[in-house]
Amino acid sequence: MDEPHVAPLNTLVRSWRAGGRFVPWVDPDGGGTGTRVLALMEAPGPATVAAGDLGFSSEDNPGPTARLFKTLREESGLARGDYLRWNVVPWALHDEAGRHRPPRTDDLAEAEPALRELLAALPELRVVVTFGAPALTGMMRLLTVAEPQRLLPVLGVPHPSPRNGHRRAETHRRILVALRTAAGAARAAGLRNAD
């Protein structure tokens, strides 16, 4: 958690946790502060929340969403060290019965400062891929509610959850195309930085 490339991000996690909310740790196998691609999901899933203090926002988490994402990420050619998997609302969300729920408009507004802090900590970021309508809405809100610190390309794709099974083939294709496009942007940024 305190490897140099993720330590500043996990410092942010500690600050968000200080409010008494569960926020998973940043995956040290990802790009950390050198991230070129942000894979922005909705909110920490039930398996991540159940892991408690050992929970990471990672493609290695158990569950069908993480497995599908990892498969498509590998197929796309997006290197693990080029991207960061995160959530538009970084803390766990539950309904009145205590069940996991997707973000609502008020959640996106409340989480906006955290997303702004995260983006400021990713100076190499070149593209954001949002997974699901809440992630896309949250990212667009951030870029348009006030003058953005910097303008970033954003690709919006369906969430890779089993609940999107009615259009599974199209969902897979769209995610794969978006991740390939993001991988190309990451490679191009790496080549420019090498010059």
Side-chain angles (χ1 to χ4, degrees):
M1 291 185 305
D2 294 315
E3 291 181 20
H5 72 296
V6 293
L9 303 177
N10 280 324
T11 296
L12 288 174
V13 169
R14 286 182 183 93
S15 73
W16 299 326
R17 283 182 166 201
R21 293 179 161 142
F22 170 78
V23 179
W25 300 110
V26 173
D27 185 353
D29 291 331
T33 56
T35 288
R36 294 186 176 118
V37 177
L38 177 61
L40 195 62
M41 303 286 181
E42 296 178 356
T48 305
V49 175
D53 197 48
L54 299 176
F56 285 82
S57 181
S58 173
E59 68 178 34
D60 296 324
N61 289 343
T65 298
R67 277 192 304 275
L68 176 59
F69 174 82
K70 182 176 183 175
T71 298
L72 293 171
R73 195 265 313 154
E74 289 173 341
E75 186 178 342
S76 75
L78 177 62
R80 189 148 184 185
D82 279 341
Y83 93 96
L84 172 71
R85 179 187 164 133
W86 198 244
N87 296 292
V88 68
V89 176
W91 43 79
L93 297 173
H94 299 96
D95 64 16
E96 295 75 24
R99 292 181 304 257
H100 173 77
R101 68 168 175 81
R104 299 176 183 142
T105 303
D106 289 346
D107 300 315
L108 297 174
E110 186 179 0
E112 182 187 313
L115 182 57
R116 193 173 300 282
E117 287 179 292
L118 177 74
L119 294 178
L122 304 175
E124 302 300 318
L125 186 62
R126 296 297 179 261
V127 64
V128 178
V129 181
T130 62
F131 293 82
L136 179 60
T137 300
M139 189 65 203
M140 290 297 103
R141 186 179 195 287
L142 178 108
L143 292 173
T144 59
V145 76
E147 295 295 323
Q149 297 166 337
R150 62 187 159 148
L151 195 56
L152 293 163
V154 177
L155 300 170
V157 296
H159 194 277
S161 165
R163 70 178 184 243
N164 288 334
H166 64 287
R167 299 193 73 129
R168 184 167 285 130
E170 179 182 325
T171 295
H172 290 197
R173 186 174 58 256
R174 289 180 62 193
I175 293 171
L176 187 58
V177 167
L179 292 177
R180 280 184 181 147
T181 302
R187 281 191 296 277
L191 291 173
R192 281 193 301 276
N193 290 346
D195 289 342

